[in-house]
Amino acid sequence: MDPGTAVAVGTLSAKVLSIIWKYYKDVKDAQHDIKLLANELEYSHDLMQKFETMASGTSELPIAASLCTTIEQALSELKELEKKLDPGTGAKAMRRLGKRALKWPFAKGEVEQWVTRFQRLKDTASLALNIDQTSLVINTNTNLTQLQHAQEATEQDRQLAKLPTALDAAFDSYQRQHETLCIENTRVDLLQQHRDWGATHPKPLYWLSGMAGTGKSTIARTLARHFHSIGTLGGSFFFSRSSGEANNAAKLVGTLAGHLAKVSPQLKRLISEVILSHADVTRQGLRNQWRELILAPLSGYQSSDRPTLNFVIDALDECGSDDEIRLILQLCVEVKTVKEVDLGVFVTSRPEIAIRLGFDAIPDIIHQKLDLRDVPRRVVEKDLAVFVKHELGRVSQEQNIPGWPNDKDIHSLVRLSDCLFIYAATACRYIATSDWDPEERLSEVLIAGSATGGNTAGLDSMYLQVLNSSLKDCGNDAVIVKFCDRFRQVVGTIVVLFDELSASELAGLLEMSEDAIKRSLGRLHSVLNIPQDVGSSIRLLHPSFRDFLLDDTRCTDRRFYVNGSLKHEELAKHCLKIMSDGLKRNMGHLTTPGSTPEDVDPHILKTQLPKHLQYACQYWVDHLAGISTKSEIKRELPNEEDLLAFFRQNFLHWLEAMSLMAKMSQAVILITRLRDLLDSVSDDVTLRSIVEDARRFILNNRGIIEKAPLQTYTSALVFSPSESFVRQYYVDQLPRWLIRSPTVEDRWGNCVQILEHPHLDYRKIITFSTDGNYVASTLRNGEIVLWETSTGAIHSNLGSYLLKTVAIKFLQNGILASMYADGTVRLFDQVTGVLLRTLERPTEDYQLAHNYFPYLRPIPSISSLPGGDLIVLLESGQVWIWNWESDSWNGRSLIGDPIRQVYGCLSNETLVVRVGPSNIGHGDLCLLDTYTSQIQTMQANLTPGRMHVAISSLDIIAWQDKTGAIELLDTNDMSRTKLERYPGWFVTALTFSPDGSRLISSDKDGALLLWNLSTQSKCLVDTTASGALSIAFSPDSKQLATGRGVLVKLYRFPVRDMLNLRGNQPGESLCITMSPDGQQIAAGRLDGTIQIYDAKDGGLNHAFSKISSPGYFRAFSPNIEQLASTSHGHLQVWDLRTGALDWTISGGQVQKWLVLLRFSPDGRYLVSGRLNGEILVLDAKSGNVIHVFELAALSTEVHFSSDGGRIACATPLAKVEDDARVIGVWNTITGEMLHENVKGELLHGIGNPAGNRGFDYISIRATISPDGRYLAYSLQRESVVIYDIESKQQRDIPIAPIKTIKPIKNPRSFQFSRDSKIFAVCTPFEGIKLWTVADARLIGFCPRDAVAHQLSLSETGNFLQSEHGHIPIHPTEEDLSNRPSRHLTHWWYDPAAYWFMEGTRKMLWIPPAYRPDSTNSHVAHHNGLFVFSNSQGIHYFKFNQGEEINDQNEHDSNH
């Protein structure tokens, strides 16, 4: 490279440095930032000088090019910085302006950005300087390796940037730079004791407690500084009630993990790898974050010795809620499990009850504690004397007051401090104020302090003295009154804020000037931390000042007293106004409705959502709730117009903003809190209804809005009920590219939330926590997921022992019991997720049951006796009871048939069980005495295979009998009652409410029924596909959870009867087919009813009652003019235009016709298959059999050429002879066989493709090209082979395939283009790829999440037509990006992620109620019109075709 470039960088950096140091000399309020930037530039300047020589000697090395680019980029950055810094065009301009004209040109945070930019450049350039010049020339590979390491470090930094961190929570953060450390010769013994603990950790947890003002935080900062200096600080987190980031535990683990990553490169790598492999870990609960981001990296740390590390956590009492505090303490206990590192946690707090109880629950062997109140008074006073002498001695030196203060005054001030360091610190700051005589002020303090008494009287007197002194020189009374008003406005706001704000941010919130804020705070440095930088947060020097101002019994001067309730009222109004002025649509400038918050440019977000607007969004409801009395709330909103305006104009914008800030769970809590608040104080029914509607809107859409903020205006709005206030207010915000949307419900249904997880266990074991705050379900990997019922957010994942969770149960003491496949029971704390204990399996003879034939095994379960003892049923059929008093298992077993299921326990501790030879068949319902093991059989008449039993708290047992009725047995008097039978269903789940007054049942038709047992009346709660597999009531009977598939649904009582709204019959999912012209939709019901709909308006054109038999096979002709169906030995073809039967074939010809009905593309032929492998080709008009083709077994694949002239068929490689035909191609006109493959030929040379299944069954997929020339097939779904049928005929001999397309893993479907020149292959993991038929060359990609079974290439060749829409094609994989597709707009549906896509862009997310059922027969598409079918009905979507779409032009962004 040219050395001149490095010289230019060095010269320019020197010039920029000279400008910066002029600012340092003349601008006093930004010296910290100036010095920070100057230091970084000085390092870069030195680096460039060292690099000049090296650059000229390495110009031909490969690494030199990248370094050259870096140096040139540094030059460009310096030029930009020079332009930003230089106030004029040279030295003359500088002299002309003079020093007073200089103003630091950077706002808060900009300097850090510049420093980061130069640090990155420096890191890359430093790479060359760390390498010996000789090795640069000789060993280029070493260079490249180090460059790779640098790139890895950059990637690690990128991953670590995803951590949720609180920047101001670190002990050495910028915001805490002025907070004091322990003065030398103070706290000597105390600090040494803590240092000794931090070096050896005799116990891993240390708690330092003390009252407010006793110096806990100063000790913690000093200790953290010491640990940092010797390299043993793992991380620090200083809680602060006034900090929005540090007043709760949300960012605790992320912050500590970020600090831990700086300890060593190895830990940095381990933590970044966790984030990379578990992308959602930063959004999970604290328990999972702690396990993955702290414990796992530390446990994976490798070192020759065992290093020592310390975490310092200060002011734990200022953390959020008691639950969070308890969780943090439980997590801290887990550090004892880390063996690779000697890790300790140092915690400080006030001795609050929750913290004391938390530590009392921790064994003494794990923690030690010290209360500062136990430190002898003489020791504290000695330290205070040293502190006061040091602080006032500095004042004496600065103001040249020799001999001041004397020892008597020092001891008097120490006595007045009463062992409170905050008193002494405040007094010293007050005395040291530069514009007053310190001797006079010391005298004032001593005189005023001598007249006080009581625990806080001295401190209160000090605060009043500070405040009164701020009024001196104010002039007349009018000025004083004005100053005090401004004090209450500004300082009053500061003390009630829920997050810290800077002067500029405070000005934005209060709509005042920054100068007015500064004037109000100018004389309060004794009690407030007021940074010179207006962009840094203003902080209380101690929380006791807040307590003082808000208590009128302590702040006796009414001029300074802050009425907290009135202040909250004012701030609530300010917040609503600021949101009204500042919120708008698409504040993040996202380019597509499916963009995520991570796609937002941070600079844009900072500009569009400044801190004071973010504050208003997060805390407006908290300020409303801070108004202390009902009357004050009503006075604050006499007509509720402010709130009404918010919901009518800004509610959706607010949701978008909360999503961008990652605060959607908080949004749910805020609206719920507002609802509860208004219910208790507001008489405005309309407002309360609007707020409840808004709450339902959030609960139903929280998940998707959290992931994609702009779905607030699309999915959330599109699928909201037609009568929803939110939908009506924002109807003009509906997407214009959605021309037609599905018909929605009129009102919100009974389902309040739908919780979705892709890995939920299909059995859906569901249970509520004892307080109803959590609902738990099992995952397929053995973990247990806990959701918060209030927000729908995942609280934590428990378990993960590589064993299947077979049963879960919440116990009364707040413990979650989980039973695993190996027979062990693990006990977790339901709040913290901490594993408390493992109960080993009851018997050593217990063996894991075999994976096959699960119906032969008992159903494992876990429940509890009324006294609290645990009951478990093992797969061996034994019942075991865990007795807490004896701390042991007691077994119960039967002679004869084993116990197959334990349903629960009666109040007399009798178990209700099922006994039988297997899980199928009838089985006997029995009562098992837990004391005597005697069993009593009941005549329950259980339905075979439908053995769902429920037990109420009133000792009533419910089950479904063989007639379909639910039978109730009252075990108190053995009386029986039958509930009315609901037509056409059988029960899939059954349970009683906790109070025994209601029974909930789910049936296979999808009806969820609530029975009132006193009246035997029923209420339809909801309808779902196939019915719920698990149902659970919350302990207070106010919530209900159901589960099936990947969904858990939550309901809240009371519910309304949906029976009259949806009719008497639950919905049925219809099989649908669309005509080629897209004009008609044919829908077939299970009962054989056929309906023909007009696709344009959804109107019903024709309905034919039961012309097709239920449960058998049907096929529509391409033009939907004919329907073919098989049933009971008959093949029938109907004319759908008239409903008449065209023809039928009965008897021997069709007795074995069981599967496969297909029309040819032109509708001339109908093909059906027999079990013996015969394939019949019939005339579709007359029913005459034209040809009979033969395969070795039942054909599962039949495909025609486009003209219907050729047909290809295939059958699986089942147990047939090696010479049996498994693939065949025939001429449908002449019946001539054109090609065949036999089993032995296909198996030759491929080994055992079926794996452990042997050769019993090997699936084959096959198709024929539109021109009939090529046959394509896949064997065992591992590769695709293409044969040229024409070449084979010409050569008259079998030929090898033209090309074997490899590797293709598990092809789901494949198809030729219309011209037969291109071949498309769809795989579940790689999306769709396109190959040339002639030479098997890869030419195109579709999105990796694109899947389809029916594929055809468009005429233009730039998209694939499928049942899911038009899937775009890209020449290379790199061309796949989130941008509009080329040429026309191509819409398609992604069934794996439930998104409608435009090209590769996510546009509209589909909620569960509107998704098609899993089979392909429930989806149809034509030219932008999509039709879905499910149990809720038929849903139509019509999308705009042919114009570019983006959210920027979708709506006016200022709407």
Side-chain angles (χ1 to χ4, degrees):
M1 64 169 284
D2 181 8
T5 307
V7 174
V9 173
T11 303
L12 184 56
S13 60
K15 179 181 178 183
V16 173
L17 272 170
S18 67
I19 299 174
I20 290 177
W21 286 120
K22 289 182 180 179
Y23 278 100
Y24 185 80
K25 178 180 178 182
D26 298 333
V27 181
K28 299 299 184 183
D29 60 351
Q31 289 189 345
H32 173 79
D33 285 351
I34 295 170
K35 191 172 182 180
L36 189 68
L37 183 57
N39 288 339
E40 191 60 40
L41 275 178
E42 283 182 343
Y43 190 96
S44 299
H45 176 69
D46 294 340
L47 187 66
M48 290 305 105
Q49 289 182 329
K50 295 177 183 178
F51 194 77
E52 290 177 23
T53 304
M54 184 171 293
S56 60
T58 60
S59 58
E60 295 183 0
L61 288 176
I63 194 173
S66 62
L67 289 172
C68 180
T69 301
T70 301
I71 303 305
E72 290 172 350
Q73 185 179 352
L75 183 62
S76 174
E77 298 278 16
L78 282 168
K79 289 178 180 178
E80 182 182 349
L81 182 60
E82 179 191 24
K83 188 180 298 183
K84 185 88 173 176
L85 283 166
D86 199 340
T89 58
K92 292 182 179 179
M94 187 74 75
R95 288 193 297 269
R96 182 174 66 251
L97 290 171
K99 69 177 183 179
R100 291 190 176 274
L102 280 178
K103 182 179 180 181
W104 187 238
F106 298 114
K108 178 187 177 183
E110 283 190 87
V111 168
E112 286 83 353
Q113 294 174 8
W114 275 102
V115 168
T116 301
R117 289 160 73 174
F118 280 106
Q119 283 177 341
R120 289 173 180 169
L121 293 171
K122 174 192 68 180
D123 291 342
T124 305
S126 295
L127 192 59
L129 296 179
N130 293 331
I131 305 172
D132 181 77
Q133 187 169 0
T134 303
S135 67
L136 276 172
V137 177
I138 297 174
N139 192 353
T140 303
N141 289 334
T142 303
N143 253 338
L144 295 175
T145 300
Q146 294 195 19
L147 181 60
Q148 181 182 1
H149 290 167
Q151 292 171 341
E152 291 174 354
T154 301
E155 174 60 22
Q156 291 171 4
D157 290 336
R158 193 176 70 85
Q159 295 301 326
L160 292 173
K162 299 177 182 178
L163 289 171
T165 56
L167 297 179
D168 60 345
F171 86 95
D172 57 352
S173 66
Y174 177 81
Q175 290 81 358
R176 297 181 180 274
Q177 61 181 317
H178 300 299
E179 294 180 353
T180 60
L181 303 175
C182 291
I183 300 297
E184 187 178 357
N185 296 324
T186 64
R187 304 290 199 183
V188 175
D189 294 338
L190 196 61
L191 288 173
Q192 188 58 49
Q193 177 183 342
H194 296 153
R195 289 166 183 158
D196 292 343
W197 168 86
T200 59
H201 300 144
K203 298 178 181 180
L205 187 57
Y206 195 110
W207 178 34
L208 178 67
S209 65
M211 302 303 294
T214 53
K216 302 180 298 297
S217 294
T218 304
I219 294 172
R221 277 192 299 275
T222 305
L223 195 60
R225 174 76 67 182
H226 167 74
F227 291 150
H228 179 72
S229 67
I230 63 174
T232 64
L233 181 65
S236 61
F237 197 97
F238 280 54
F239 284 102
S240 173
R241 187 176 290 112
S242 59
S243 170
E245 289 189 330
N247 63 6
N248 59 76
K251 296 185 177 182
L252 169 66
V253 177
T255 301
L256 292 178
H259 295 169
L260 197 61
K262 299 176 182 179
V263 171
S264 78
Q266 185 182 166
L267 283 174
K268 181 180 181 180
R269 175 179 57 81
L270 291 170
I271 295 172
S272 62
E273 286 175 353
V274 169
I275 302 170
L276 181 62
S277 59
H278 300 85
D280 61 341
V281 68
T282 58
R283 297 188 295 273
Q284 293 179 350
L286 285 185
R287 175 69 186 89
N288 289 356
Q289 289 187 33
W290 182 262
R291 180 179 60 193
E292 299 292 342
L293 296 172
I294 302 295
L295 299 184
L298 289 173
S299 298
Y301 187 80
Q302 296 179 355
S303 176
S304 57
D305 55 358
R306 188 170 183 247
T308 299
L309 290 177
N310 294 281
F311 285 147
V312 177
I313 300 176
D314 179 57
L316 183 60
D317 54 287
E318 298 195 30
C319 167
S321 65
D322 289 349
D323 283 345
E324 285 189 333
I325 290 173
R326 189 156 64 97
L327 170 58
I328 292 170
L329 292 179
Q330 290 285 354
L331 297 180
C332 290
V333 171
E334 293 189 3
V335 303
K336 65 182 175 59
T337 64
V338 178
K339 305 302 182 184
E340 292 73 14
V341 175
D342 181 14
L343 180 63
V345 182
F346 183 84
V347 179
T348 74
S349 75
R350 298 184 189 184
E352 305 290 357
I353 294 177
I355 301 176
R356 284 192 284 109
L357 293 177
F359 274 103
D360 288 345
I362 299 173
D364 290 340
I365 195 174
I366 295 176
H367 84 284
Q368 64 186 89
K369 53 189 175 183
L370 173 65
D371 193 329
L372 288 177
R373 291 173 295 183
D374 296 335
V375 177
R377 186 179 184 91
R378 57 179 177 78
V379 175
V380 178
E381 288 185 343
K382 178 182 177 182
D383 290 340
L384 277 169
V386 173
F387 172 79
V388 171
K389 187 173 183 178
H390 176 273
E391 293 296 303
L392 296 186
R394 188 173 56 185
V395 176
S396 171
Q397 184 177 2
E398 290 175 353
Q399 300 196 27
N400 194 20
I401 312 175
W404 179 89
N406 58 48
D407 290 343
K408 179 181 178 181
D409 289 343
I410 290 175
H411 289 302
S412 297
L413 187 55
V414 168
R415 179 180 53 79
L416 292 176
S417 298
D418 196 24
C419 293
L420 291 178
F421 274 83
I422 184 58
Y423 181 99
T426 303
C428 290
R429 281 192 295 268
Y430 171 69
I431 295 167
T433 304
S434 60
D435 53 350
W436 293 99
D437 181 2
E439 294 179 281
E440 180 181 340
R441 284 212 158 179
L442 176 58
S443 299
E444 292 175 1
V445 169
L446 297 179
I447 293 171
S450 61
T452 61
N455 291 335
T456 63
L459 187 59
D460 296 345
S461 174
M462 171 57 62
Y463 283 141
L464 281 175
Q465 192 168 355
V466 170
L467 295 178
N468 280 311
S469 69
S470 66
L471 301 180
K472 293 183 178 181
D473 296 337
C474 278
N476 55 41
D477 292 344
V479 175
I480 292 177
V481 170
K482 184 177 181 179
F483 179 87
C484 291
D485 290 341
R486 184 67 57 83
F487 171 88
R488 290 192 300 272
Q489 182 180 12
V490 176
V491 180
T493 296
I494 293 173
V495 298
V496 300
L497 286 177
F498 296 99
D499 193 4
E500 296 170 351
L501 297 177
S502 66
S504 59
E505 294 158 354
L506 196 60
L509 180 66
L510 298 178
E511 298 180 289
M512 298 171 59
S513 68
E514 290 184 19
D515 288 340
I517 298 293
K518 291 179 181 178
R519 288 195 297 270
S520 302
L521 304 177
R523 298 185 176 183
L524 298 174
H525 288 269
S526 301
V527 288
L528 297 175
N529 183 353
I530 308 170
Q532 293 181 341
D533 180 8
V534 296
S536 297
S537 299
I538 300 168
R539 308 163 66 95
L540 299 177
L541 287 173
H542 199 270
S544 59
F545 185 55
R546 175 194 297 109
D547 302 335
F548 164 76
L549 287 179
L550 294 175
D551 189 340
D552 58 356
T553 64
R554 296 178 59 187
C555 183
T556 54
D557 190 331
R558 302 294 295 182
R559 296 175 300 176
F560 302 110
Y561 165 67
V562 177
N563 186 319
S565 178
L566 293 178
K567 185 53 61 179
H568 282 299
E569 177 183 335
E570 294 173 9
L571 288 175
K573 290 181 177 179
H574 279 297
C575 289
L576 289 170
K577 185 177 186 306
I578 288 168
M579 289 191 293
S580 176
D581 295 340
L583 294 178
K584 59 184 178 181
R585 177 170 176 152
N586 199 2
M587 289 168 285
H589 294 183
L590 295 169
T591 58
T592 175
S595 298
T596 67
E598 289 76 18
D599 297 328
V600 179
D601 184 329
H603 177 72
I604 291 177
L605 184 61
K606 181 179 179 180
T607 303
Q608 297 293 318
L609 269 175
K611 182 66 180 293
H612 69 277
L613 179 55
Q614 292 188 34
Y615 180 91
C617 290
Q618 293 182 67
Y619 299 111
W620 62 281
V621 175
D622 294 309
H623 285 300
L624 278 176
I627 305 173
S628 61
T629 67
K630 296 180 181 180
S631 61
E632 286 174 327
I633 294 178
K634 289 185 177 181
R635 185 186 69 247
E636 197 278 329
L637 294 170
N639 299 311
E640 279 91 4
E641 287 301 323
D642 292 340
L643 279 177
L644 285 171
F646 168 78
F647 283 103
R648 288 171 176 163
Q649 299 169 16
N650 298 111
F651 175 64
L652 293 191
H653 304 153
W654 174 69
L655 287 181
E656 179 195 336
M658 294 297 281
S659 174
L660 292 172
M661 294 185 288
K663 300 290 184 183
M664 278 306 298
S665 292
Q666 184 181 351
V668 177
I669 294 172
L670 289 177
I671 294 300
T672 301
R673 190 177 187 187
L674 179 63
R675 189 275 311 265
D676 296 341
L677 185 65
L678 292 177
D679 282 349
S680 63
V681 303
S682 176
D683 298 326
D684 191 327
V685 177
T686 300
L687 176 59
R688 289 160 57 187
S689 300
I690 291 173
V691 173
E692 174 60 18
D693 182 72
R695 189 181 75 91
R696 292 298 303 273
F697 186 90
I698 301 180
L699 287 172
N700 273 267
N701 299 290
R702 180 200 64 82
I704 186 57
I705 296 176
E706 185 173 60
K707 296 176 182 177
L710 294 184
Q711 288 299 299
T712 306
Y713 312 96
T714 50
S715 179
L717 207 54
V718 165
F719 298 106
S720 293
S722 58
E723 295 181 6
S724 162
F725 288 107
V726 174
R727 184 187 180 101
Q728 293 174 359
Y729 291 154
Y730 297 93
V731 67
D732 61 333
Q733 295 284 295
L734 287 166
R736 296 171 186 168
W737 38 261
L738 183 61
I739 300 173
R740 180 180 178 185
S741 59
T743 301
V744 295
E745 300 279 1
D746 294 336
R747 298 160 56 192
W748 294 107
N750 291 320
C751 179
V752 177
Q753 292 186 76
I754 297 179
L755 312 176
E756 190 165 7
H757 197 296
H759 304 300
L760 279 180
D761 186 353
Y762 73 95
R763 295 171 302 148
K764 286 297 159 304
I765 305 172
I766 296 176
T767 183
F768 277 94
S769 62
T770 52
D771 56 9
N773 291 334
Y774 307 101
V775 62
S777 187
T778 54
L779 303 181
R780 291 193 296 269
N781 64 357
E783 286 187 324
I784 304 165
V785 59
L786 263 67
W787 279 285
E788 297 175 356
T789 56
S790 60
T791 66
I794 292 180
H795 174 72
S796 60
N797 285 15
L798 311 179
S800 185
Y801 297 98
L802 301 179
L803 289 171
K804 191 173 187 64
T805 306
V806 295
I808 53 177
K809 169 75 175 177
F810 278 102
L811 309 181
Q812 289 299 321
N813 54 0
I815 292 176
L816 175 63
S818 174
M819 182 178 174
Y820 290 84
D822 65 348
T824 59
V825 175
R826 291 176 170 85
L827 306 179
F828 299 92
D829 185 290
Q830 70 180 32
V831 175
T832 66
V834 172
L835 176 63
L836 303 176
R837 185 177 182 185
T838 298
L839 308 181
E840 297 301 331
R841 55 177 177 258
T843 171
E844 292 300 325
D845 297 333
Y846 182 81
Q847 298 291 329
L848 288 176
H850 198 266
N851 289 331
Y852 299 115
F853 311 116
Y855 60 86
L856 295 178
R857 305 195 306 262
I859 301 174
S861 61
I862 185 168
S863 54
S864 59
L865 295 173
D869 289 348
L870 287 181
I871 311 167
V872 298
L873 173 64
L874 304 181
E875 289 186 346
S876 61
Q878 291 180 308
V879 173
W880 289 81
I881 299 176
W882 176 265
N883 183 274
W884 295 106
E885 289 187 6
S886 64
D887 211 37
S888 62
W889 292 103
N890 296 309
R892 304 288 188 273
S893 59
L894 303 177
I895 299 175
D897 290 336
I899 298 173
R900 291 292 168 182
Q901 198 165 357
V902 174
Y903 296 108
C905 184
L906 302 177
S907 59
N908 62 0
E909 299 197 351
T910 297
L911 298 183
V912 180
V913 302
R914 178 168 59 85
V915 177
S918 69
N919 281 336
I920 59 176
H922 294 69
D924 294 319
L925 194 62
C926 304
L927 299 179
L928 173 63
D929 191 308
T930 56
Y931 295 101
T932 64
S933 295
Q934 292 183 349
I935 195 162
Q936 174 187 353
T937 302
M938 297 182 292
Q939 300 300 318
N941 198 21
L942 289 175
T943 307
R946 306 169 190 175
M947 303 172 187
H948 299 284
V949 177
I951 305 168
S952 80
S953 57
L954 304 177
D955 291 345
I956 297 175
I957 306 173
W959 67 90
Q960 184 184 31
D961 65 18
K962 291 183 179 179
T963 69
I966 294 179
E967 188 166 351
L968 304 177
L969 170 66
D970 189 335
T971 59
N972 298 294
D973 58 12
M974 304 306 289
S975 61
R976 300 190 180 216
T977 307
K978 283 193 176 184
L979 299 179
E980 174 190 355
R981 182 177 181 270
Y982 193 80
W985 56 254
F986 66 81
V987 167
T988 59
L990 195 68
T991 192
F992 283 97
S993 62
D995 60 7
S997 64
R998 291 172 291 178
L999 177 70
I1000 193 85
S1001 66
S1002 176
D1003 65 64
K1004 195 175 187 306
D1005 286 341
L1008 187 66
L1009 292 175
L1010 179 68
W1011 302 83
N1012 185 317
L1013 298 183
S1014 61
T1015 62
Q1016 294 194 16
S1017 60
K1018 65 178 180 293
C1019 164
L1020 180 63
V1021 178
D1022 199 1
T1023 56
T1024 57
S1026 303
L1029 295 179
S1030 181
I1031 304 176
F1033 269 99
S1034 63
D1036 60 3
S1037 299
K1038 294 181 179 180
Q1039 299 180 84
L1040 178 73
T1042 67
R1044 187 181 182 93
V1046 298
L1047 306 177
V1048 172
K1049 289 186 169 184
L1050 292 184
Y1051 304 82
R1052 293 185 186 274
F1053 294 99
V1055 296
R1056 58 193 179 103
D1057 192 352
M1058 307 295 289
L1059 198 61
N1060 295 329
L1061 300 176
R1062 298 182 179 175
N1064 292 326
Q1065 290 290 343
E1068 175 192 334
S1069 183
L1070 308 179
C1071 297
I1072 59 175
T1073 302
M1074 183 178 288
S1075 62
D1077 59 5
Q1079 298 299 309
Q1080 295 187 93
I1081 301 292
R1085 294 186 179 275
L1086 292 176
D1087 64 0
T1089 300
I1090 302 297
Q1091 296 169 321
I1092 309 297
Y1093 294 91
D1094 188 326
K1096 184 176 181 180
D1097 58 12
L1100 181 64
N1101 289 345
H1102 307 286
F1104 307 104
S1105 299
K1106 299 186 179 180
I1107 65 173
S1108 172
S1109 298
Y1112 286 78
F1113 297 92
R1114 295 175 296 204
F1116 291 94
S1117 64
N1119 57 7
I1120 311 188
E1121 292 181 356
Q1122 288 182 293
L1123 169 71
S1125 67
T1126 64
S1127 65
H1128 306 298
H1130 300 277
L1131 171 60
Q1132 300 171 321
V1133 175
W1134 302 80
D1135 188 330
L1136 295 180
R1137 294 167 296 183
T1138 63
L1141 179 65
D1142 275 352
W1143 53 266
T1144 184
I1145 301 178
S1146 304
Q1149 293 186 66
V1150 295
Q1151 284 179 358
K1152 296 181 180 179
W1153 290 5
L1154 186 62
V1155 295
L1156 194 64
L1157 284 175
R1158 182 162 297 173
F1159 283 91
S1160 63
D1162 56 5
R1164 287 188 299 165
Y1165 305 113
L1166 175 65
V1167 175
S1168 185
R1170 291 179 177 176
L1171 286 174
N1172 63 1
E1174 292 181 343
I1175 302 162
L1176 277 71
V1177 181
L1178 302 102
D1179 186 296
K1181 298 299 182 183
S1182 65
N1184 295 328
V1185 177
I1186 300 175
H1187 302 292
V1188 178
F1189 304 135
E1190 293 185 358
L1191 290 178
L1194 172 69
S1195 176
T1196 56
E1197 293 281 326
V1198 173
H1199 296 278
F1200 285 91
S1201 59
S1202 58
D1203 61 359
R1206 292 185 178 184
I1207 184 173
C1209 305
T1211 183
L1213 298 185
K1215 290 184 177 180
V1216 296
E1217 299 298 327
D1218 284 351
D1219 60 353
R1221 182 188 302 138
V1222 292
I1223 297 177
V1225 180
W1226 292 270
N1227 186 310
T1228 53
I1229 299 175
T1230 65
E1232 177 188 2
M1233 188 176 73
L1234 306 176
H1235 173 77
E1236 71 170 338
N1237 289 102
V1238 298
K1239 176 181 177 181
E1241 173 191 349
L1242 295 180
L1243 292 180
H1244 179 68
I1246 66 172
N1248 181 4
N1252 58 16
R1253 295 174 63 184
F1255 296 105
D1256 291 347
Y1257 188 94
I1258 302 176
S1259 62
I1260 296 179
R1261 299 191 68 90
T1263 190
I1264 191 169
S1265 61
D1267 63 4
R1269 177 175 176 176
Y1270 300 104
L1271 168 71
Y1273 70 87
S1274 69
L1275 180 64
Q1276 195 59 23
R1277 300 189 176 187
E1278 290 181 348
S1279 63
V1280 177
V1281 180
I1282 301 177
Y1283 281 90
D1284 188 329
I1285 300 172
E1286 299 296 336
S1287 298
K1288 177 182 178 181
Q1289 288 180 332
Q1290 290 173 355
R1291 297 185 182 182
D1292 199 25
I1293 57 172
I1295 63 169
I1298 290 178
K1299 191 72 175 180
T1300 300
I1301 301 174
K1302 295 182 178 180
I1304 298 174
K1305 301 298 183 183
N1306 300 320
R1308 179 177 302 212
S1309 59
F1310 43 79
Q1311 189 58 269
F1312 289 91
S1313 62
R1314 294 179 183 179
D1315 61 6
S1316 302
K1317 293 181 179 181
I1318 298 176
F1319 191 67
V1321 182
C1322 174
T1323 61
F1325 303 110
E1326 298 182 358
I1328 302 175
K1329 295 183 177 181
L1330 272 67
W1331 312 73
T1332 58
V1333 174
D1335 55 4
R1337 180 169 47 88
L1338 184 63
I1339 60 171
F1341 295 83
C1342 289
R1344 289 185 178 274
D1345 49 2
V1347 292
H1349 291 79
Q1350 304 165 20
L1351 296 172
S1352 64
L1353 193 66
S1354 66
E1355 294 181 1
T1356 59
N1358 69 317
F1359 66 90
L1360 286 171
Q1361 295 172 325
S1362 75
E1363 77 274 21
H1364 296 140
H1366 292 173
I1367 305 174
I1369 299 169
H1370 301 270
T1372 63
E1373 218 166 1
E1374 288 75 18
D1375 195 34
L1376 297 176
S1377 58
N1378 199 24
R1379 62 189 181 192
S1381 53
R1382 299 161 297 166
H1383 307 293
L1384 294 177
T1385 305
H1386 305 307
W1387 292 93
W1388 59 285
Y1389 176 66
D1390 177 7
Y1394 317 117
W1395 280 94
F1396 269 115
M1397 309 287 291
E1398 188 280 303
T1400 57
R1401 304 190 306 164
K1402 296 176 179 178
M1403 300 297 288
L1404 178 67
W1405 183 79
I1406 308 300
Y1410 296 89
R1411 297 171 189 166
D1413 281 348
S1414 57
T1415 59
N1416 297 325
S1417 58
H1418 295 82
V1419 181
H1421 164 258
H1422 182 272
N1423 197 30
L1425 173 65
F1426 294 81
V1427 184
F1428 292 172
S1429 169
N1430 61 20
S1431 62
Q1432 306 295 320
I1434 296 178
H1435 310 294
Y1436 297 85
F1437 302 85
K1438 176 67 175 178
F1439 295 94
N1440 193 5
Q1441 297 279 94
E1443 68 177 51
E1444 185 173 324
I1445 297 169
N1446 60 68
D1447 198 80
Q1448 296 283 26
N1449 61 29
E1450 175 68 15
H1451 290 277
D1452 180 5
S1453 62
N1454 292 316
H1455 177 86

